[in-house]
Amino acid sequence: MKARAIIVVMKIIIAGYGVEGISNLVYFQQKFPDAEFVVADERPADKLPTIPDGVKLISGKNAFSEQLGDADLVVRTASLPPRNIKTSGKIWSATNEFFDKCPAPIIGVTGTKGKGTTCSLIASILQQAGQTVHLVGNIGVPALDVLPKIKKTDIVVYELSSFQLWDLEKSPHIAVVLMIEPDHLNVHTDFADYLNAKKNIRRHQQLADACLYHPTNKYSREVAAAPLDKLLDTGDNHGDALDLAQRYAILDDDQVYVQDGYFCVQNRQICSTDHLRLPGAHNLENACAAMSAVTELPIAVTDEQYAAGLESFTGLPHRLKFVAEKNGVKYYDDSISTTPGSAIAALKAFTEPKILILGGSDKGADYTELAQEIVRQQMRVVIVNGANASEIAEILRKENVSCQIVQLEMATMPMVVETAANQAKSGDVVILSPAAASFDMFKSYNDRGEQFVAAVEKLVD
């Protein structure tokens, strides 16, 4: 009697079933057509997108911690902390899979703010230079949707959040580290965990790879100084990693900087800063970071192509985007602002008298520095709204903010905009820059921004 062959079926769990989770399921089903697939999500089954036939579902409060033990592979969605997954199998992610399989060079961009703008500027410049560019990560379509289309001669620009970097096992060929401040402290165990995740953009780089970091931010410098695997193998210390990195937006490190109204590199003018269509000193820095990243590629880009790339990008939705002018008052949508630092940057972008709309769902941020910046700025009114309105208003009062503070408690966006319009005078700017997450009252920062835009457009001019 012949012994029967034992067929071992690979078990793959898709942990988290949102937009990225759906993409992960499609990709890995194509890669492993004979595997058993399970979707795990802490939300109730009736709140999830449709699960395909033949795919099992684990849902509910303990979906990630109690029922994944026998998996061979657990593919986590970006915002799911690896520490929350209890399994004897391998924990993986779409970002890890992409970096492992991508045939093209990758420019990775991280930081607390400015990632989307910097990535978009890089892509715009490269497109003007005739390159085929794939913009993926937080800003683009799910990375694994694009992966099968990428050729060796293409270039990938990847926006990398701390969530995507948490367990990254490879680093990009060109790493750009923008300004960093505490963020997502409601998900990370603490700021050290957040910063440690950021360091994975640098840790696994090869010695010939490039790392560009913010010229003054100490946390960006710390990421750039993260010990490289290659240096650790040779016994060298972490100081050598920083020696191999360069600062952007500064004359000293041979990268792109601003001088006398021009973007320059190595004492040579590239193009006028007037080609940049985005307001604020922080966007000049973002442009320097983007242009510096492009100079690290082994391709020829003309000054005219740099200028055209800057000029053709007019900004991303909800990122300090001009909405309308009503009765001499200009309204700007900066709903992407979920940290105090991003609101500070928004305030610094304007010299006009300002009305600032703050508040939302708290992420553990400290608003003291923002309150101090409000004291220094030409402010007419600060409107605080949302779940953390009382907390922010109290900090503003402690810092002796002299302008009027209007405290609203969970008011609708039309009410907030109407309040701002009633307080504003001709020549003012009204800025929605909440410095907080949106999930107290809105589906997302996009939803919050869209409601702001709709309310502004309904104002009578």
Side-chain angles (χ1 to χ4, degrees), residues 33 74 93 102 113 135 138-139 154 178 182 208 217 235 263 282 291 295 321 333 349-350 372 377 431 437 452:
V74 178
S93 67
C102 180
K113 63 180 184 182
L135 185 56
N138 272 5
I139 189 173
D154 298 347
L178 306 175
N217 182 258
F263 291 107
H282 63 292
M291 297 169 77
T295 66
K321 189 84 169 179
D333 168 18
F350 301 97
Q372 294 168 347
Q377 287 281 338
I431 311 165
F452 176 76

Side-chain angles (χ1 to χ4, degrees), residues 295-336:
T295 66
E296 292 295 325
L297 291 166
I299 60 172
V301 180
T302 67
D303 293 350
E304 292 75 18
Q305 289 167 341
Y306 277 111
L310 295 177
E311 193 159 326
S312 63
F313 177 65
T314 59
L316 295 167
H318 316 303
R319 290 160 170 85
L320 208 57
K321 189 84 169 179
F322 175 70
V323 177
E325 183 172 343
K326 300 282 185 173
N327 299 306
V329 178
K330 294 179 179 179
Y331 292 79
Y332 287 84
D333 168 18
D334 194 34
S335 182
I336 187 68

Side-chain angles (χ1 to χ4, degrees), residues 335-367:
S335 182
I336 187 68
S337 162
T338 60
T339 68
S342 53
I344 290 171
L347 291 179
K348 289 181 175 179
F350 301 97
T351 57
E352 300 92 334
K354 290 170 278 288
I355 294 176
L356 177 64
I357 301 170
L358 284 175
S361 176
D362 194 65
K363 297 197 294 179
D366 183 353
Y367 290 91

Side-chain angles (χ1 to χ4, degrees), residues 37 67 104 141 171 175 194 200 233 237 247 279 299 308 314 319 325 328 343 351 366 375 417 420 423 457:
F37 282 88
Q67 304 179 63
V141 298
S171 296
Y194 174 73
N200 281 331
D233 290 343
N237 62 40
R247 294 167 293 177
I299 60 172
T314 59
R319 290 160 170 85
E325 183 172 343
T351 57
D366 183 353
V375 171
V417 170
Q423 298 286 340
E457 289 176 345

Side-chain angles (χ1 to χ4, degrees), residues 101-178:
K101 299 296 189 296
C102 180
I106 300 173
I107 301 174
V109 180
T110 197
T112 303
K113 63 180 184 182
K115 297 187 296 294
T117 295
T118 303
C119 285
S120 298
L121 286 168
I122 294 170
S124 182
I125 293 166
L126 290 174
Q127 286 163 354
Q128 291 294 327
Q131 301 294 314
T132 300
V133 187
H134 304 275
L135 185 56
V136 300
N138 272 5
I139 189 173
V141 298
L144 295 184
D145 288 1
V146 179
L147 182 57
K149 308 170 188 174
I150 298 175
K151 300 175 182 177
K152 283 185 178 181
T153 53
D154 298 347
I155 300 171
V156 172
V157 183
Y158 207 128
E159 180 183 338
L160 292 162
S161 71
S162 61
F163 298 156
Q164 291 160 313
L165 288 165
W166 238 323
D167 53 2
L168 190 64
E169 296 183 4
K170 289 186 177 181
S171 296
H173 305 86
I174 299 171
V176 181
V177 187
L178 306 175

